[in-house]
Amino acid sequence: MSTLRSLTALAGAATLTLALAACGSGTTTQKAATGGGEVGPDQICPDGTLTMGVEPFEDPKTLIPVYETLGKALGEELGCEVEVQISDTYVAEILAMQNGKLDIGQFGPLGYVFAQKQAGATPLASFAGEDGMVSSYTGGIWVPKESPIESVEDLAGTTLALSESGSTSGDAVPRKALIDAGIEKDVKAEYAGGHTEALLALVNGKVDGAEINSQTLASATAEGQFDESAFRQVWESEPILNDPIAAGPNMTPEVSEAVQEALLNLPADAVAEIGEYLDFTPPAGKPALVAVTDEDYQPVSELAEALDLTTDDL
C-alpha cells in the first residue's frame, strides 16, 4: 500500500502508454452533420494514430487491459490506430492535452472542468447506465463498524484517508463535506495515493475513516478486498455524473463530431470491463455511450469554484 501523503504533496506527470492497433478493413467513414461531408481516417488520424488519455482512477497496470477493448473497438470505428495513455496523475493528463499530446481524453468530472478551462477540452460522450442515461456514482466516507463516529461532524479530531489531489469523489467532494460541517481544520486528512489505497488504509487500520466511492466499493467488494459488513458509511454525496470523454483543442468541429459518432456507435461489450470499475452496467440494445455537454458538469464546476480550486491544487 502506498504511504499516505499530506495534502500539500505534488502530483507527478509520468504516463504509461499502450498502443492499440485497429483493424481498418471494416471501417466506414463518419459523416459530419454540420457540413454533411464525410470525414475519413486521413482527417481523423492525420498521422495514422488517435491518442487517447485516461485518468488514473485505478492502478495503470489494472487499467491497461481494461481499456484495450475500448481502444480496439474505437479504432475499428475510426479506421486508424488508437494509442491509449494511462496518465500517472490527474494533472498530467490535463497538461498532455494542453501541450497537444492527446487528441481525446477520459477525465474525471473535476479533471474535465480544469481540462476545459486550461486545455480547451470539449465533452463528447460518457458511459450510459442500464436506463440508457448517463451513469453516475457517489462519494462516501466509511469507518469501522464499531467506530463511535456516526456523522461527518464526528470526524473532528480523527484521521481521514482521501484518494489523491484532483479526484472528484476522492478529494473535492469529501473535503467540501468537511468544510460544510465546519471541521475541515480539525481533521487530519491525508492522500493515500488512490481510491483503492484509501480503502486499504481503512481496512489495515491506518486511519479512522476513509473516502470510498461507490465505484471503488463495488470493485473492491467483488475482488475480496473489502468486507462491507465490517464497516459503516457515515456520509454519502449526491450523484456525480460519470467521466466524460473529451476532444482536445486541436481537433476540428468536423473531426470531433466524427469521433463522437464513433463513440456513440460502440457496443456494450466494448465498455463492459470499464463498467466493473466505474460502477455502471451498459444498457442492452442501446448505445453504450451517450452524448454529454459542458452543462452536464456544471455542478462540478460550481464545486471547484466553491473550494477556490485551481490546477495548482490538483
Side-chain angles (χ1 to χ4, degrees):
M1 183 185 72
S2 301
T3 302
L4 294 180
R5 296 178 285 125
S6 70
L7 292 178
T8 58
L10 296 177
T15 59
L16 184 61
T17 304
L18 172 67
L20 300 169
C23 302
S25 59
T27 303
T28 58
T29 55
Q30 309 294 317
K31 183 172 289 185
T34 54
E38 291 184 342
V39 178
D42 290 343
Q43 291 76 43
I44 298 171
C45 312
D47 297 324
T49 301
L50 183 86
T51 305
M52 176 180 176
V54 179
E55 91 279 5
F57 61 86
E58 287 284 348
D59 187 318
K61 293 180 181 179
T62 300
L63 294 180
I64 285 175
V66 171
Y67 276 86
E68 182 176 6
T69 303
L70 172 62
K72 181 178 180 181
L74 181 59
E76 289 174 347
E77 283 288 332
L78 297 174
C80 60
E81 181 182 357
V82 172
E83 182 184 89
V84 177
Q85 299 180 352
I86 311 297
S87 297
D88 184 55
T89 66
Y90 291 83
V91 72
E93 185 182 13
I94 296 170
L95 291 174
M97 179 167 281
Q98 182 181 14
N99 295 328
K101 302 297 185 182
L102 296 178
D103 297 307
I104 61 175
Q106 178 186 321
F107 295 92
L110 183 60
Y112 160 71
V113 167
F114 287 106
Q116 189 275 329
K117 293 180 178 179
Q118 184 171 322
T122 303
L124 301 177
S126 186
F127 304 98
E130 289 183 284
D131 60 0
M133 307 295 288
V134 181
S135 59
S136 64
Y137 62 105
T138 57
I141 295 177
W142 288 70
V143 299
K145 184 178 181 179
E146 303 304 323
S147 170
I149 299 170
E150 299 286 347
S151 66
V152 172
E153 289 76 12
D154 293 338
L155 288 167
T158 70
T159 56
L160 176 68
L162 300 179
S163 171
E164 58 185 310
S165 58
S167 171
T168 310
S169 62
D171 182 19
V173 170
R175 281 207 285 132
K176 182 62 163 57
L178 298 181
I179 292 172
D180 290 344
I183 62 167
E184 71 276 13
K185 295 181 180 179
D186 301 318
V187 177
K188 185 180 180 182
E190 298 178 310
Y191 293 131
H195 291 290
T196 300
E197 287 80 2
L199 176 146
L200 291 177
L202 178 64
V203 170
N204 293 327
K206 303 296 184 182
V207 291
D208 298 307
E211 74 79 15
I212 303 176
N213 68 21
S214 60
Q215 298 169 334
T216 303
L217 177 65
S219 60
T221 301
E223 293 170 3
Q225 293 181 311
F226 190 72
D227 179 5
E228 190 172 338
S229 66
F231 300 89
R232 288 186 291 106
Q233 184 170 249
V234 297
W235 173 82
E236 183 178 28
S237 76
E238 294 294 323
I240 305 166
L241 290 188
N242 238 321
D243 297 358
I245 296 176
N250 297 326
M251 190 171 283
T252 67
E254 292 78 15
V255 171
S256 292
E257 203 167 321
V259 173
Q260 182 182 52
E261 181 181 341
L263 288 167
L264 301 183
N265 284 337
L266 293 182
D269 59 7
V271 302
E273 288 183 278
I274 299 173
E276 294 177 9
Y277 288 89
L278 294 185
D279 194 24
F280 70 87
T281 300
K286 296 180 180 179
L289 289 96
V290 292
V292 291
T293 68
D294 189 55
E295 291 183 3
D296 292 320
Y297 296 91
Q298 186 60 31
V300 183
S301 180
E302 293 172 357
L303 172 64
E305 292 179 5
L307 292 174
D308 197 25
L309 297 178
T310 70
T311 49
D312 291 337
D313 298 299
L314 301 186

